Amino acid sequence: MSASILNARNLNKVVPSAEGELSILSDLSLELDKGDSLAIVGTSGSGKSTLLGLLAGLDLPSSGEVRLAGHLLGELDEDQRARVRAEHVGFVFQSFQLLDSLNALENVMLPLELEGYRDAAQRAQQLLERVGLGTRLHHYPRQLSGGEQQRVALARAFAADPDVLFADEPTGNLDSQTGAHISDLMFELNRERGTTLVLVTHDERLAQRCHNLLRLEGGRRVDHGPAE
């Protein structure tokens, strides 16, 4: 068994289309250790989000395998994969995906409460203070700016100390200054907590901050290695 936190081997994803089978990803492999960071870059339609979904166990490959935190995802059913994600994974999306009916503190507390943390409120407050929202704990998403909502989403993602954080265009809906601040926070938390980062991004500056770069073109790897 690999000692890596995330290991993918020979991933292929094929889907049916009107013209026949359509190849979304072809023969992709990668390996990341705890604390590593990887940027997945490429044009729209290159397969970036599909790859992210396979690595996180949100979807299964047509062939190949993904091992996440020691679990071979293809051998698990949907409920078991959801349990692996709950125990080992955090997510940050471009669209924030906060619950409108919950305030900032409650949004961050929710995954902790679902996992049975007795100190959910304390942990959530500490993380919100860490991302600069200590005075906005009881504000609802509609009362927060886009940058503030993304900081809440980031605090929620890190709340349960995930082994891997998957982020899909985490700065895509933010202005450049706010996006840079969100990027700084992600890498600070990455260093402090040893969380492995896997980022899908169009932002080359964000990509260059990662230890590793995987560039996709038409579902195939055209560049894989240390970021310059």
Side-chain angles (χ1 to χ4, degrees), residues 200-220:
V200 163
T201 183
H202 282 99
D203 186 340
E204 289 287 343
R205 290 174 298 180
L206 176 58
Q208 293 301 325
R209 296 185 66 173
C210 293
H211 298 147
N212 300 282
L213 179 71
L214 192 157
R215 192 177 300 276
L216 291 177
E217 186 176 302
R220 294 183 179 275

Side-chain angles (χ1 to χ4, degrees), residues 8-14 23-30 51 54 61-65 214 216 218-222 224:
R9 287 288 174 264
N10 305 317
L11 293 185
N12 291 276
K13 184 65 178 179
V14 179
S23 178
I24 305 297
L25 289 172
S26 301
D27 198 29
L28 277 166
S29 298
L30 61 89
L51 176 57
L54 296 179
S62 302
S63 62
E65 65 179 36
L214 192 157
L216 291 177
R220 294 183 179 275
R221 185 184 71 204
V222 293
H224 183 203

Side-chain angles (χ1 to χ4, degrees), residues 112-113 115-123:
L112 293 170
E113 290 176 329
E115 288 303 302
Y117 284 83
R118 294 184 178 181
D119 59 344
Q122 181 182 356
R123 289 172 68 98

Side-chain angles (χ1 to χ4, degrees), residues 52-120:
L52 194 77
L54 296 179
L55 295 176
L58 296 169
D59 192 11
L60 292 175
S62 302
S63 62
E65 65 179 36
V66 176
R67 189 179 295 275
L68 174 60
H71 299 273
L72 197 58
L73 298 182
E75 295 181 349
L76 306 179
D77 62 27
E78 189 172 342
D79 288 342
Q80 291 170 325
R81 293 197 305 275
R83 170 52 50 189
V84 170
R85 288 193 297 273
E87 292 178 353
H88 299 286
V89 170
F91 289 98
V92 178
F93 298 99
Q94 180 177 354
S95 58
F96 316 139
Q97 297 196 356
L98 301 177
L99 295 176
D100 291 335
S101 61
L102 301 181
N103 63 33
L105 183 65
E106 291 165 341
N107 263 286
V108 180
M109 285 175 59
L110 182 60
L112 293 170
E113 290 176 329
L114 292 175
E115 288 303 302
Y117 284 83
R118 294 184 178 181
D119 59 344

